[in-house]
Amino acid sequence: MRLSTPSSFADKILPELLSQFTTEYPDIRVELLVSNVEANMTSRDADIALRVAHAPPEHLWGRRISSIQWAVYGSNAYVAAFGQPETREALRSHRLISPAGKLAAHPAYSALFTLDQARTDLRCDDLTSIAGLAAAGHGLALLPDDLARPDLVRLLGLTDIPPNSLWVLTHPDLKSIPRVSLLMGYLAKAVAASLRSA
């Protein structure tokens, strides 16, 4: 089965979970397709997809796994040098890593990046890379909580930014196939549990 997923989930969550799945179900082979570009499920580029979306496309079938909050993250070195923002207003005196490309239009960034928000000169169009830039001390990063990592500190939760929703989806024609149903059910439980324990 072909499973399409964003790189953040492929890097952090899925290796262990898919290892457990293939050990338990050795007759089911999984092909992991890693891309931040959505696979075309209608043309069967993938059988199952993990997707972050407020609502899934109407032509797909599946279930919502989890809500993922947004927060501001920074490195310990950044906090030691510049302090920790305690409020949304205090962020204006801290430099945030700027989004680029399509990411700049994301509602989370549109809500936070006002004209008076200090920004870094460095811009990036990938959330995983923004997390890496923040860990390297380039500035603070606005990230969904699934991108938390040991070398970053969660500094300020932003509950006024709508959370991401994570979905596991398939084409309606495939939902009754036992191996598709099995993997979708496994992912729904295991990924949700992994996000809760992170």
Side-chain angles (χ1 to χ4, degrees), residues 160-171:
D160 58 324
I161 293 178
N164 286 345
S165 291
L166 178 63
W167 299 79
V168 59
L169 302 167
T170 190
H171 192 277

Side-chain angles (χ1 to χ4, degrees), residues 39-126:
N40 188 333
M41 305 283 288
T42 302
S43 64
R44 302 300 201 276
D45 289 347
D47 303 308
I48 298 172
L50 285 176
R51 284 193 182 171
V52 175
H54 289 295
E58 292 183 2
H59 64 280
L60 298 180
W61 180 89
R63 67 179 94 168
R64 189 170 70 84
I65 296 175
S66 180
S67 290
I68 303 170
Q69 299 294 326
W70 287 82
V72 174
Y73 287 83
S75 67
N76 283 314
Y78 180 96
V79 173
F82 302 106
Q84 176 174 341
E86 301 289 344
T87 65
R88 176 87 171 246
E89 291 71 29
L91 281 176
R92 293 178 184 149
S93 62
H94 290 267
R95 288 163 48 89
L96 271 75
I97 298 169
S98 300
K102 292 181 180 179
L103 188 58
H106 191 286
Y109 284 97
S110 300
L112 185 62
F113 277 74
T114 57
L115 291 175
D116 58 351
Q117 175 60 57
R119 304 175 185 220
T120 59
D121 293 330
L122 182 62
R123 298 173 182 267
C124 184
D125 68 349
D126 178 74

Side-chain angles (χ1 to χ4, degrees), residues 14-63:
L14 290 179
E16 181 179 347
L17 299 184
L18 289 177
S19 177
Q20 293 170 0
F21 180 83
T22 54
T23 297
E24 190 170 346
Y25 302 99
D27 293 336
I28 299 177
R29 289 185 300 157
V30 178
E31 183 177 331
L32 189 60
L33 307 174
V34 182
S35 175
N36 292 324
V37 177
E38 294 181 355
N40 188 333
M41 305 283 288
T42 302
S43 64
R44 302 300 201 276
D45 289 347
D47 303 308
I48 298 172
L50 285 176
R51 284 193 182 171
V52 175
H54 289 295
E58 292 183 2
H59 64 280
L60 298 180
W61 180 89
R63 67 179 94 168

